[in-house]
Amino acid sequence: MNKRLLRTQLNQMENIEKQVLMESLAARYDMTFLGLHTFDRWGQSCTTGIFKKDGREFVFVPGDTVTLGWEQFAVGLNQESWEELEYLFREWEMERDPEEMIRESMAPVRQAAIGPMLVGRELEEINWEPVKMDDPRLTVHPDWLKEFRDFAWSDSSSLTLHQSARIERTEKGFQICIYNHTDYDALLAMLENRGFSLPTADEWAYLCGGGCRTLFPWGDGLDYSMRLHWFENMDEDENRPYDMEEPNFFGLSIAYDPYMREVVQADRLTTCGGDGGCNICGGLGPFLGFLPCSPHCKPEVQEDKELNGDYDFYRPIIRLENYD
């Protein structure tokens, strides 16, 4: 492997050298190179390349050998997190050591050699397909069209017919999608056909945490000063992103919504980065609600292969295994 694609070497390179390297990657993988950008967040920093291909943005993520998994606090919970957990323990009439309870949800500590990748910057939907209003798969359902017409005269921003169809109000009019039932094998085949893969659970943990030894990339406790999805009303400024949705130190928008499970490459359908909102729906509060978004949380092996368009999302990657 080209050692310039590893994080230590990349960080030591001058920008002009990085520019040449990124341009060569763009040429090899038929991408448009948009330029270098420095991403600096939560104590980690990376100056890397941003690319575009098939309407989506990718970022180059250098390889590294890192420690993944979690068994104890590196710094310790902050006061707000302690108080939240203590309140829940009183409600449950339980006597638990918070560290012990958290450890049960975490993957074991391990060393992992992560190869360099070109990584999709945003999560993507799996089951929803954009269509026109005259698509025969829509027009065959007059009841759907009636609901769409009623929606158009309403003040609502979107309407979803469960695992059937969806309409959203946009600046240019309406965006209509239909729901296609699909499974894990079909997703993997589709990605392979287009020259992409999914990250493995270890690769995902690296993309999310960068090898951090704290529970979250920013520390052991939840940062309650952040604007958290599902715990803050954003009506006053709907277009501003939640703090965890902002690009991380690799330039990725990752692990910011516990309702959004990120599908990873494994022997069976496996997800990281969320629990489908189970903890939040169970009234467990922000800390335990966002705990599944920890880079160290155990990957969740699903019971069957069918993907759920409401909760399952994917991130395409290209591994640079043979680049020299």
Side-chain angles (χ1 to χ4, degrees), residues 13 30 50 53 59 67 69 76 100 104 128 134 137 142 144 162 166 173 186 198-199 210 214 220 253 264 269 287 314:
M13 290 166 57
D30 192 24
I50 301 176
K53 184 180 177 70
V59 66
T67 302
E100 179 186 349
E104 293 172 355
W128 293 100
D134 60 357
R137 292 170 294 178
W144 294 4
H162 180 62
R166 181 179 72 195
L198 293 174
T214 49
D220 279 328
S253 182
V264 297
L269 173 55
F287 182 88
Y314 77 99

Side-chain angles (χ1 to χ4, degrees), residues 22 26 31-34 49-52 56-58 60 118:
M22 297 302 141
M31 292 182 165
T32 301
F33 176 52
L34 301 181
I50 301 176
F51 306 82
K52 196 161 190 178
R56 55 168 68 94
E57 283 194 1
F58 287 80
F60 168 69
L118 291 162

